[in-house]
């Protein structure tokens, strides 16, 4: 039996057909609608589900979505105009006459890593994704921690610098203002001689070429990342903290340096109880997690 899954982001809607063994039978992506998002997303997803049904029976639909998600509804999204307020689970299930399960994209990535990635066999772990901001998912005893109103896991908004940089959330000194990939690139741009913006790939190239400014920014970046990891380890004591995001995929240097610095800064007793791992599912993490959510909710997998 298969499920159809969709990962709704600000630029693309990734889609896939996945079986109970976690094998991706087919996948692709479509541009995210820029106007009348709710209506057009419903149409896009319905059309793709119809195509996947030609391959066989679809047991359920799994949705990974940007934004704050609660009870199948998009409570807030800054990335897609007109997306906030979308009762996506209800409307899709009515249209498709299929069970639909919706969760935040980073939480889905955490579930994906638990099912088929770096967290296989682990019941207590934290996933951090480094990108424009920092996303977080916390899994305790094999279950996502959602909190009182479903807002738990916003680790990018831990305050690490009093009276620090202003964050888009309205606070100052948030973790993601110092330890996200975009923060690293902003720091480099500010300190570089030409003041030009560069990509993460270009930055890592300059780092490998021993650009002194890149090295200075990198060392500070590592320290900021680890300050958050130490707080997480001391507070939650997970088996693993798994780090994802495009910058992690540029070889082993970053994850190895994070590990070394973490071991130097964390309390000694935690060195052997919390490991630092790189996420392995990369761009498929969220769709795998959406599939896991659907299969698990339908009692089709353990």
């Amino acid at each position: 039996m298969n499920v159809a899954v969709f990962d709704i982001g600000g630029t693309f809607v990734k889609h896939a057909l996945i079986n109970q063994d976690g094998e991706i039978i087919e996948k692709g992506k479509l541009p995210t609608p820029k106007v009348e998002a709710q209506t057009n997303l419903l149409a896009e997803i319905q059309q793709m589900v119809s195509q996947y049904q030609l391959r066989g029976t679809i047991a359920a639909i799994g949705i990974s979505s940007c934004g704050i998600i609660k009870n199948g509804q998009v409570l807030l999204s800054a990335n897609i105009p007109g997306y906030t307020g979308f009762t996506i689970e209800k409307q899709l299930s009515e249209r498709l006459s299929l069970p639909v399960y919706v969760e935040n994209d980073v939480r889905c990535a955490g579930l994906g890593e638990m099912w088929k990635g770096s967290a296989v066999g682990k019941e207590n772990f934290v996933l951090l994704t480094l990108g424009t901001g920092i996303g977080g998912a916390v899994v305790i005893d094999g279950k996502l921690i959602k909190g009182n109103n479903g807002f738990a896991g916003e680790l990018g908004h831990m305050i690490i610098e009093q009276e620090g940089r202003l964050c888009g959330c309205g606070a100052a000194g948030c973790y993601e203002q110092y330890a996200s990939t975009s923060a690293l690139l902003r720091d480099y741009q500010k300190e570089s001689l030409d003041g030009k913006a560069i990509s993460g790939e270009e930055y890592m190239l300059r780092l490998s070429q021993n650009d002194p400014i890149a090295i200075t920014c990198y060392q500070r970046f590592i320290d900021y990342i680890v300050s958050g990891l130490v707080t997480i380890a001391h507070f939650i004591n997970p088996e693993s903290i798994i780090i994802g995001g495009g910058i992690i995929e540029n070889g082993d240097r970053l994850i190895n340096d994070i590990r070394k610095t973490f071991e130097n800064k964390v309390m000694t007793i935690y060195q052997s109880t919390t490991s630092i791992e790189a996420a392995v599912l990369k761009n498929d993490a969220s769709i795998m997690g959406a599939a896991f959510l659907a299969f698990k909710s339908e009692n089709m997998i353990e």
Side-chain angles (χ1 to χ4, degrees):
M1 192 70 74
N2 304 324
V3 294
V5 296
F6 299 85
D7 178 27
I8 301 172
T11 305
F12 293 106
V13 177
K14 291 183 283 188
H15 56 85
L17 186 67
I18 298 177
N19 66 24
Q20 286 169 265
D21 294 323
E23 297 169 336
I24 298 175
I25 299 168
E26 184 178 335
K27 69 177 179 178
K29 64 182 180 181
L30 300 165
T32 302
K34 300 303 181 185
V35 296
E36 298 184 9
Q38 298 186 26
T39 299
N40 289 322
L41 275 169
L42 285 171
E44 273 191 0
I45 292 172
Q46 186 171 15
Q47 182 178 14
M48 280 309 310
V49 170
S50 295
Q51 291 185 32
Y52 282 145
Q53 285 175 322
L54 298 176
R55 303 283 300 269
T57 302
I58 303 295
I61 309 296
I63 305 284
S64 161
S65 175
C66 60
I68 296 175
I69 310 297
K70 183 179 181 182
N71 298 329
Q73 181 177 1
V74 182
L75 295 186
L76 179 66
S77 174
N79 298 321
I80 305 174
Y83 193 48
T84 296
F86 190 12
T87 52
I88 184 170
E89 190 171 282
K90 179 177 183 293
Q91 292 190 56
L92 271 178
S93 61
E94 288 175 351
R95 278 199 178 202
L96 300 172
S97 298
L98 285 168
V100 178
Y101 302 97
V102 185
E103 188 51 271
N104 166 267
D105 50 3
V106 180
R107 288 178 175 172
C108 278
L111 292 176
E113 292 289 342
M114 183 173 69
W115 189 31
K116 295 295 178 180
S118 294
V120 170
K122 296 180 174 67
E123 293 201 334
N124 297 278
F125 70 92
V126 173
L127 172 73
L128 286 180
T129 56
L130 309 182
T132 304
I134 294 180
V138 181
V139 173
I140 302 295
D141 296 333
K143 297 179 181 179
L144 279 170
I145 298 301
K146 298 185 179 182
N148 184 45
N149 288 302
F151 304 155
E154 290 292 339
L155 301 175
H157 298 288
M158 298 186 294
I159 304 298
I160 65 167
E161 288 282 358
Q162 293 300 315
E163 300 180 3
R165 299 170 184 170
L166 185 64
C167 182
C169 74
C174 288
Y175 188 35
E176 67 178 37
Q177 291 302 311
Y178 299 87
S180 63
T181 303
S182 59
L184 170 65
L185 298 179
R186 283 196 302 268
D187 284 350
Y188 181 82
Q189 181 181 3
K190 182 179 179 180
E191 297 187 24
S192 64
L193 297 177
D194 58 17
K196 293 182 180 178
I198 62 172
S199 68
E201 291 78 7
E202 175 63 24
Y203 170 83
M204 294 304 289
L205 175 61
R206 295 186 188 188
L207 181 66
S208 69
Q209 294 171 341
N210 294 318
D211 177 333
I213 297 174
I215 291 171
T216 297
C217 292
Y218 178 78
Q219 291 170 340
R220 189 165 58 231
F221 180 58
I222 295 292
D223 286 339
Y224 277 129
I225 290 173
V226 170
S227 68
L229 301 188
V230 168
T231 297
I232 292 167
H234 289 169
F235 182 59
I236 299 175
N237 187 212
E239 297 170 69
S240 292
I241 301 174
I242 297 168
I243 305 176
I247 195 167
I248 293 292
E249 297 166 17
N250 286 280
D252 295 331
R253 177 175 180 175
L254 180 57
I255 197 70
N256 287 337
D257 288 343
I258 291 172
R259 283 193 188 110
K260 292 174 187 175
T261 307
F262 176 79
E263 289 173 1
N264 289 333
K265 291 193 173 187
V266 76
M267 288 170 56
T268 304
I269 196 171
Y270 289 85
Q271 293 175 0
S272 61
T273 63
T274 298
S275 64
I276 306 298
E277 309 289 343
V280 297
L281 294 181
K282 301 180 182 178
N283 289 330
D284 290 335
S286 291
I287 59 172
M288 293 297 288
F292 175 84
L293 177 66
F295 282 128
K296 187 74 171 176
S297 298
E298 290 294 300
N299 298 311
M300 297 176 66
I301 58 175
E302 293 296 325

